[in-house]
Amino acid sequence: CAAWCGHQVGHLKLKKNGGHGGHNGLRSIVERMGGIKDFPRLKVGIGRPPGRMGVSGFVLGKFTSQEAENVAVTKVEAAEMIRTVVTKGIDKAMNKHNSKGGKGGKGVYGF
């Protein structure tokens, strides 16, 4: 699961593989796996830092009460997505979930 800075809190998207995209947690996983990037990930929108706030302070900060409500719903949706990956495979899960709620096939759940 990877924080997805710049996307609305609660947006979810499954990815089959890819690079770390500047995400330190994913960078660490790729390094520990000897450079292997071929693993699925679930991206979770966390919003955008307000004003001149640094990204690390924002990512490690607390959600507002409204964002916390969105996150509660997001957990349920994320669990459903992960269950589909485990039972049907990543391709079928991406086909099923990445088109839900997204405009123009952007592939995200929106709240």
Side-chain angles (χ1 to χ4, degrees), residues 25-110:
L26 288 176
R27 180 181 284 124
S28 177
I29 291 169
V30 169
E31 287 173 5
R32 297 214 185 263
M33 292 179 62
I36 295 170
K37 300 175 188 173
D38 188 21
F39 59 89
R41 67 250 3 238
L42 177 59
K43 297 172 79 173
V44 181
I46 61 166
R48 185 178 306 278
R52 295 179 184 251
M53 180 181 217
V55 173
S56 62
F58 176 72
V59 168
L60 299 174
K62 295 187 177 194
F63 290 114
T64 67
S65 59
Q66 178 61 50
E67 290 169 338
E69 288 178 30
N70 290 346
V71 169
V73 174
T74 300
K75 288 182 200 178
V76 173
E77 300 293 350
E80 180 185 328
M81 293 171 89
I82 293 167
R83 188 176 304 110
T84 305
V85 170
V86 171
T87 60
K88 308 251 185 207
I90 186 69
D91 291 322
K92 288 185 179 179
M94 288 171 54
N95 286 336
K96 177 179 179 180
H97 296 289
N98 282 355
S99 62
K100 265 189 168 179
K103 292 183 179 178
K106 291 184 180 177
V108 293
Y109 279 89

Side-chain angles (χ1 to χ4, degrees), residues 7-23:
H7 292 271
Q8 184 178 1
V9 173
H11 281 201
L12 296 170
K13 183 175 182 179
L14 283 167
K15 281 193 72 179
K16 190 171 189 171
N17 54 38
H20 58 72
H23 188 284

